């Protein structure tokens, strides 16, 4: 059974995980968050959101330690719930990741146009009020092909690039944090809530949006088969990813509200960028913009790699055509899955942000569903395979994270929230994606040539032995007696 090359160390995994979580727009749109929730609601609500996300990560950690295989969430669902739930989980995850990848195709060029006006020349077409320009699209296509090239010959190449960009993000972020707190004042942050508002309410209202800041921490679980460290350390890396990314977010946002009165920042156009520029640190303002660029690139690379691994896992269980699970024997890379990821990214990316934002906004629903499925898998595993994992004394914590995952879903589906889907376009896209999933599942089922147990062997590989590890030890002991 061909496996992916084990080439990622702990720091490279964390770079994929943390840098994959740290996106782009939060650094220059946090003015709107301060205006809506106050500095206190944003920072303290985010911390509570990080706490709930870390509870979900505990479920990921336990399952990843037991089954360090490509595809993460797909593997967990297949093992504990069967084919249908596994396909549903993988399809939701692909929907979230591919939507982001398609958005990044033109997002980089549009972000670059703030410094290079020539990017917005030679208009091609307009969709949903957003014009796509030739230079913007050309840069996006080149960037997508670069992501493909970085992974075609081995994920370790992409891992090195990710490490470099991650280090740059951390260094710039550290400068923002140190200067923000050293030159700012507590009086800029406190009182942390707008006059006449309810502090507890503003904080609680930001918990669910805060959880979505952590979208993507499952990257570590998805890349577990690429890791050259022990499964237990891979599992711990999932939790460490959430904590590290969460603390980075909150520290930078708190420093933004510390360097200048947050009420003034709430009226600015570019959040952290404007705050540090107006406070007399234009270089750091530019540095904040650099985080936006680097965050986009790291997220693009991380989700690109992860999408191919999800496809591999689904194909191994014949939830997708099995040919997509083929691993190149020389490079030990999933060439066909990488090609499919590239084609789908470009096929949607050319639509531009005006249309792709409809797909992107549905991602909150997809990720909430996936997180909830992982929490369910964590509790089902010891029931189905009592000897597969050891029970934790804090086993109730993932359940609390599961409630947060449900909150993410409800927050998007119920009209009137800050993250509600746009009617009717985004509800139609959500329904269309689910319907397409049904068609794909039925098609794959009609061509399936292996049973559930054979698929379980393929998906788990050597980890299959972990399902009955204590049983095997018992049998060996009996024979010795």
């Amino acid at each position: 059974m061909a496996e992916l090359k084990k080439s990622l160390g702990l720091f490279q995994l964390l770079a994929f995980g943390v840098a994959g979580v740290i996106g782009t727009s939060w650094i220059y749109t946090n003015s709107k968050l301060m205006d809506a929730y106050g500095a206190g609601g944003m920072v303290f609500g985010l911390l509570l959101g990080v706490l709930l996300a870390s509870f979900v990560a505990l479920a990921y950690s336990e399952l990843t330690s037991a089954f360090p295989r490509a595809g993460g969430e797909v593997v967990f669902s297949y093992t504990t719930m069967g084919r249908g739930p596994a396909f549903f989980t993988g399809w939701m995850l692909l929907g979230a990741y591919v939507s982001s990848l398609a958005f990044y195709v033109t997002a980089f060029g549009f972000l670059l146009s703030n410094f290079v006006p020539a990017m917005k020349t030679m208009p091609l077409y307009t969709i949903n009020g957003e014009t796509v320009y030739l230079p913007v699209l050309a840069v996006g296509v080149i960037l997508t092909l670069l992501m493909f090239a970085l992974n075609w010959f081995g994920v370790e190449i992409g891992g090195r690039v990710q490490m470099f960009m991650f280090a740059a993000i951390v260094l710039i972020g550290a400068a923002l944090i140190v200067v923000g707190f050293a030159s700012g004042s507590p009086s800029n942050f406190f009182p942390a809530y707008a006059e006449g508002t309810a502090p507890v309410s503003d904080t609680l209202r930001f918990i669910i949006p805060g959880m979505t800041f952590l979208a993507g921490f499952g990257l570590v679980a998805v890349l577990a088969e690429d890791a050259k460290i022990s499964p237990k350390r891979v599992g711990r890396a999932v939790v460490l990813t959430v904590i590290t990314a969460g603390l980075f977010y909150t520290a930078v946002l708190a420093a933004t509200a510390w360097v200048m009165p947050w009420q003034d920042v709430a009226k600015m156009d570019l959040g952290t960028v404007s705050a540090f520029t107006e406070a007399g640190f234009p270089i750091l303002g530019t540095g904040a913009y650099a985080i936006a660029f680097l965050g986009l690139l790291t997220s693009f690379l991380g989700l690109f790699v992860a999408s191919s691994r999800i496809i591999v896992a689904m194909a191994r269980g014949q939830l997708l055509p099995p040919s997509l699970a083929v691993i190149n024997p020389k490079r030990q890379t999933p060439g066909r899955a990488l090609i499919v990821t590239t084609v789908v990214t470009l096929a949607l990316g050319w639509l531009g942000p005006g249309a792709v934002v409809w797909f992107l906004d549905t991602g909150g629903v997809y990720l909430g569903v996936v997180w909830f499925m992982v929490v369910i898998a964590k509790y089902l595993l010891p029931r189905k395979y009592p000897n597969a994992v050891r029970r934790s004394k804090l086993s109730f914590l993932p359940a609390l994270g599961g409630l947060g995952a449900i909150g993410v879903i409800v927050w998007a589906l119920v009209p009137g929230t800050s993250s509600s889907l746009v009617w009717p376009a985004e509800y139609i896209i959500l329904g269309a994606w689910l319907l397409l999933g049904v068609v794909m599942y039925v098609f794959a089922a009609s061509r399936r040539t292996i049973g559930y147990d054979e698929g379980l062997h393929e998906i788990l590989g050597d980890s299959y032995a972990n399902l009955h590890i204590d049983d095997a030890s018992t049998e060996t002991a009996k024979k010795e007696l």
Side-chain angles (χ1 to χ4, degrees), residues 60 71-78 89 93 97 218-219 221-222 310 370 374:
Y60 271 86
E73 296 94 334
V74 177
V75 176
F76 311 151
S77 297
Y78 192 103
T89 301
L93 202 54
Y97 287 1
L219 281 171
V222 172
I310 296 165
V370 171
V374 171

Side-chain angles (χ1 to χ4, degrees), residues 45-76:
L46 178 56
L47 282 173
L48 290 173
V50 171
L51 185 64
L52 281 179
S54 67
F55 292 162
V56 176
L58 289 174
Y60 271 86
S61 178
E62 184 176 299
L63 293 168
T64 304
S65 298
F67 311 116
R69 289 282 283 178
E73 296 94 334
V74 177
V75 176
F76 311 151

Side-chain angles (χ1 to χ4, degrees), residues 37 205 208-209 406-414 417-421:
Y37 303 96
R205 284 192 305 120
I208 301 304
I406 294 175
V408 170
I409 300 169
V410 173
W411 196 256
L413 292 180
V414 173
T417 74
S418 60
S419 300
S420 298
L421 298 183

Side-chain angles (χ1 to χ4, degrees), residues 239-460:
V239 180
L240 191 56
T241 291
V242 174
I243 295 173
T244 303
L247 292 179
F248 182 86
Y249 275 134
T250 51
V252 172
L253 293 175
T256 302
W258 201 275
V259 74
M260 286 194 71
W262 70 263
Q263 295 89 344
D264 294 341
V265 179
K267 299 175 184 177
M268 296 177 180
D269 293 329
L270 296 174
T272 302
V273 177
S274 298
F276 278 85
T277 301
E278 293 295 325
F281 306 101
I283 293 179
L284 286 179
T286 303
Y289 235 134
I291 288 181
F293 278 101
L294 291 168
L296 188 152
L297 293 174
T298 55
S299 294
F300 200 156
L301 179 56
L303 295 180
F304 193 92
V305 177
S307 296
S308 67
R309 271 54 179 178
I310 296 165
I311 291 172
V312 167
M314 296 177 73
R316 280 171 170 170
Q318 295 195 6
L319 305 175
L320 289 177
S323 60
L324 296 178
V326 172
I327 306 297
N328 184 283
K330 182 178 180 180
R331 296 188 299 271
Q332 291 182 278
T333 56
R336 296 181 184 181
L338 287 169
I339 291 173
V340 169
T341 302
T342 303
V343 171
V344 173
T345 298
L346 293 176
L348 290 177
W350 71 272
L351 296 171
V356 174
V357 71
W358 290 334
F359 298 91
L360 189 66
D361 287 347
T362 60
V365 178
Y366 302 147
L367 288 172
V369 169
V370 171
W371 291 344
F372 184 71
M373 294 293 282
V374 171
V375 172
I376 294 297
K378 177 258 185 295
Y379 291 111
L380 287 179
L381 183 62
R383 293 176 179 272
K384 190 170 184 179
Y385 301 102
N387 299 318
V389 293
R390 294 181 179 178
R391 296 174 184 265
S392 170
K393 294 181 180 179
L394 300 176
S395 61
F396 66 93
L397 292 180
L400 298 179
L403 293 176
I406 294 175
V408 170
I409 300 169
V410 173
W411 196 256
L413 292 180
V414 173
T417 74
S418 60
S419 300
S420 298
L421 298 183
V422 176
W423 177 267
E426 293 178 359
Y427 288 91
I428 292 173
I429 287 173
L430 176 61
W433 185 252
L434 292 172
L435 182 59
L436 179 60
V438 171
V439 173
M440 292 292 292
Y441 182 74
V442 171
F443 175 77
S446 67
R447 294 173 175 267
R448 192 174 295 133
T449 59
I450 60 175
Y452 168 77
D453 287 336
E454 292 174 283
L456 188 61
H457 273 89
E458 289 293 327
I459 281 181
L460 290 181

Side-chain angles (χ1 to χ4, degrees), residues 62-352:
E62 184 176 299
L63 293 168
T64 304
S65 298
F67 311 116
R69 289 282 283 178
E73 296 94 334
V74 177
V75 176
F76 311 151
S77 297
Y78 192 103
T79 303
T80 58
M81 290 176 270
R83 286 174 172 151
F87 179 89
F88 179 60
T89 301
W91 193 248
M92 292 293 96
L93 202 54
L94 281 177
Y97 287 1
V98 168
S99 297
S100 295
L101 290 174
F103 182 77
Y104 294 151
V105 170
T106 51
F108 187 81
F110 277 105
L111 192 59
L112 191 62
S113 68
N114 291 314
F115 297 94
V116 185
M119 294 298 296
K120 287 189 175 181
T121 59
M122 295 179 281
L124 297 175
Y125 43 82
T126 299
I127 299 178
N128 192 30
E130 291 283 354
T131 300
V132 177
Y133 301 90
L134 179 59
V136 169
L137 185 59
V139 167
V141 171
I142 292 171
L143 190 60
T144 304
L145 295 177
L146 177 61
M147 296 299 166
F148 172 78
L150 284 174
N151 292 283
W152 180 256
F153 296 101
V155 72
E156 67 271 18
I157 299 175
R160 294 191 192 102
V161 174
Q162 191 83 336
M163 278 283 290
F164 175 78
M165 294 190 291
F166 175 55
I169 289 175
V170 171
L171 288 174
I172 297 171
L176 290 169
I177 294 166
V178 171
V179 172
F181 282 110
S183 64
S185 168
S187 62
N188 291 334
F189 188 90
F190 297 103
Y193 298 87
E195 186 177 350
T197 61
V200 174
S201 176
D202 284 346
T203 301
L204 294 179
R205 284 192 305 120
F206 195 67
I207 291 177
I208 301 304
M211 283 188 73
T212 64
F213 271 48
L214 281 302
F217 69 79
L219 281 171
V220 175
V222 172
L223 298 176
E225 190 175 326
D226 294 278
K228 60 182 179 181
I229 59 178
S230 69
K232 184 174 291 187
R233 295 183 73 192
V234 176
R236 290 172 180 169
V238 181
V239 180
L240 191 56
T241 291
V242 174
I243 295 173
T244 303
L247 292 179
F248 182 86
Y249 275 134
T250 51
V252 172
L253 293 175
T256 302
W258 201 275
V259 74
M260 286 194 71
W262 70 263
Q263 295 89 344
D264 294 341
V265 179
K267 299 175 184 177
M268 296 177 180
D269 293 329
L270 296 174
T272 302
V273 177
S274 298
F276 278 85
T277 301
E278 293 295 325
F281 306 101
I283 293 179
L284 286 179
T286 303
Y289 235 134
I291 288 181
F293 278 101
L294 291 168
L296 188 152
L297 293 174
T298 55
S299 294
F300 200 156
L301 179 56
L303 295 180
F304 193 92
V305 177
S307 296
S308 67
R309 271 54 179 178
I310 296 165
I311 291 172
V312 167
M314 296 177 73
R316 280 171 170 170
Q318 295 195 6
L319 305 175
L320 289 177
S323 60
L324 296 178
V326 172
I327 306 297
N328 184 283
K330 182 178 180 180
R331 296 188 299 271
Q332 291 182 278
T333 56
R336 296 181 184 181
L338 287 169
I339 291 173
V340 169
T341 302
T342 303
V343 171
V344 173
T345 298
L346 293 176
L348 290 177
W350 71 272
L351 296 171

